Amino acid sequence: MTALNDAEALFTSLTGRGAEGVWSSAGRANLIGEHTDYNEGFVLPFAIQHRTYAAAGMHADLAIRVASTFSPDPVEVALAELETLFAGAPGAAVADGTVPEWAAYPLGVAWAALAASGRSAADVPGVDIAIASDVPVGAGLSSSAAIEGAVAAALNDLWQLGLSPLDMAKVGRRAENEAVGAPTGIMDQVSSILGRADAATFLDCRTLETRSVDLGLEREGLILLAIDTKVEHAHASGGYRDRRAACERGAAALGVPSLRDLTEADLDRARDILDDVTFRRVRHIVTENQRVLDTVDALASGGPRAIGDLLVASHASMRDDFEISVPELDTAVDAALAAGAIGARMTGGGFGGSAVALVEADAVDAVADAAARAFAARGYAAPHAFTVVPSEGVRRDA
């Protein structure tokens, strides 16, 4: 059984009928550009082959019912109640137990999609949605954005909302920020929805302009290997919020709208003005933005083998300046590099999740084995290494 089959089967068990369609969206890995998105900076993620599927169909009742293989209990909400449910403080419905966290993602997408399209709850029929996924949860590969993209695509078609792919990405971000209460940027949703095979998506998070950047991995005989540390992370946790707040404090103290407006030439002034912790948070964002631009240039001029040092420098900055790595992530990166990886870094929001390593195709097993041995030597739980293939974004599957 595939996740697509699981979604279809769950829909049938929930409703007693077949789905009108199945839509899916991809998980994502970030090649480079971490925590720059909510600072209006630059990112370079890519959609991966692991996907979340939403089997959906309409019904006469004016309600939305969502079910997931993650939870045995479906959740039903009247369409007219979505606004009341999510219009309050970010994440309030989750925090007070009104809505389970997993259900806040699809329900929040329905709420945000109606608002984005200018439609009201009275304008659309009820809908059932059954969700299944093969995106590893808690691995830093954006299982949440994959849910948001799949559900947004399903509702966009069924409700004929007329949303563009970028509109759907904005819907997903609003759902995550306000319905779930996770203060993320828009990188994950854009990558999950707009991805293309053997390419990364360069995103300017201020203008929301995007363009595909060819990676050339297949041509060069290279593989991107994800190493899931099995240390789960959560975007709604305090560490993520603290980093975002530090960035906002740094921008305010330096008199700029966001850290996007600073360059490396501003760092000496920043060092004089800011306390040490805030300065290091700012330095990571400023240098990471430049590394993204340098990576795009290096891919164009020298191909993927030219970006290894940039990936390594990015990890060091996240470890030392932004302090979002954990010992397991550092171990994965160090082991991969020692085993011959061209470059490696943690990927995702940090505090756990996965590292990604750029390796020769014939060295995948050696790098994976090196990571496993290094984890065992330190007494860590065994990691899970698997290839991540830059893939297409949102689509209708059935």
Side-chain angles (χ1 to χ4, degrees):
M1 291 283 285
T2 65
L4 187 156
N5 299 140
D6 290 342
E8 291 178 315
L10 180 60
F11 184 91
T12 299
S13 69
L14 178 70
T15 67
R17 66 184 193 277
E20 294 180 46
V22 182
W23 293 259
S24 70
S25 196
R28 72 95 188 92
N30 194 18
L31 188 63
I32 196 164
E34 224 65 75
H35 287 258
T36 49
D37 55 347
Y38 57 78
N39 288 287
E40 298 187 345
F42 307 110
V43 293
L44 191 64
F46 58 94
I48 63 176
Q49 76 275 26
H50 298 281
R51 307 183 69 81
T52 294
Y53 297 85
M58 295 180 287
H59 57 72
D61 297 336
L62 297 180
I64 178 170
R65 184 166 47 163
V66 295
S68 170
T69 55
F70 299 124
S71 172
D73 300 316
V75 175
E76 182 171 343
V77 174
L79 292 172
E81 294 178 2
L82 289 172
E83 180 65 25
T84 301
L85 197 61
F86 296 125
V94 173
D96 66 16
T98 303
V99 177
E101 183 175 6
W102 74 264
Y105 289 97
L107 294 176
V109 166
W111 165 68
L114 286 172
S117 66
R119 307 281 288 280
S120 74
D123 296 330
V124 296
V127 66
D128 291 309
I129 303 174
I131 298 166
S133 180
D134 60 21
V135 181
V137 176
L141 300 176
S142 204
S143 56
S144 58
I147 293 171
E148 292 153 6
V151 173
L155 294 177
N156 193 41
D157 282 359
L158 292 175
W159 285 348
Q160 299 181 1
L161 300 179
L163 300 176
S164 70
L166 184 57
D167 291 334
M168 288 191 285
K170 293 177 182 178
V171 161
R173 176 181 60 177
R174 188 178 185 196
E176 191 147 345
N177 290 172
E178 300 182 33
V180 181
T184 59
I186 199 171
M187 173 186 72
D188 294 351
Q189 293 81 8
V190 165
S191 178
S192 177
I193 290 171
L194 275 70
R196 186 170 65 79
D198 203 17
T201 301
F202 175 74
L203 168 65
D204 180 333
C205 295
R206 170 169 284 173
T207 66
L208 299 186
E209 294 179 4
T210 64
R211 62 183 172 94
S212 290
V213 176
D214 289 334
L215 293 175
L217 301 180
E218 184 175 353
R219 180 185 67 246
E220 295 293 329
L222 298 176
I223 295 289
L224 284 163
L225 182 71
I227 305 170
D228 182 1
T229 65
K230 299 295 186 177
V231 179
E232 291 196 12
H233 73 157
H235 275 164
S237 65
Y240 194 101
R241 292 180 184 277
D242 289 347
R243 298 310 185 278
R244 184 162 187 163
C247 292
E248 292 168 354
R249 287 196 307 272
L254 291 163
V256 293
S258 79
L259 298 184
R260 156 68 176 272
D261 297 295
L262 302 177
T263 68
E264 293 181 4
D266 295 302
L267 290 177
D268 286 341
R269 179 171 69 93
R271 190 193 302 272
D272 292 338
I273 293 174
L274 304 174
D275 64 86
D276 177 65
V277 170
T278 305
F279 168 71
R280 286 188 290 111
R281 305 297 188 252
V282 168
R283 180 167 62 184
H284 166 70
I285 299 301
V286 172
T287 57
E288 186 79 344
N289 273 328
Q290 187 59 52
R291 281 187 289 270
V292 174
L293 298 176
D294 291 345
T295 299
V296 172
D297 289 344
L299 285 167
S301 62
R305 296 177 192 279
I307 68 172
D309 289 346
L310 291 162
L311 302 182
V312 173
S314 175
H315 183 78
S317 182
M318 292 184 287
R319 180 193 64 212
D320 300 334
D321 278 353
F322 223 59
E323 295 181 289
I324 55 173
S325 189
V326 295
E328 290 86 347
L329 283 168
D330 297 337
T331 298
V333 168
D334 292 344
L337 293 172
I342 294 167
R345 64 187 288 276
M346 60 148 281
T347 186
F351 310 105
S354 298
V356 65
L358 179 64
V359 302
E360 303 286 351
D362 60 4
V364 168
D365 290 343
V367 172
D369 289 345
R373 290 195 304 272
F375 272 54
R378 290 162 176 77
Y380 301 149
H384 175 215
F386 54 97
T387 59
V388 283
V389 181
S391 303
E392 66 178 310
V394 76
R395 69 189 186 205
R396 183 169 182 166
D397 294 272

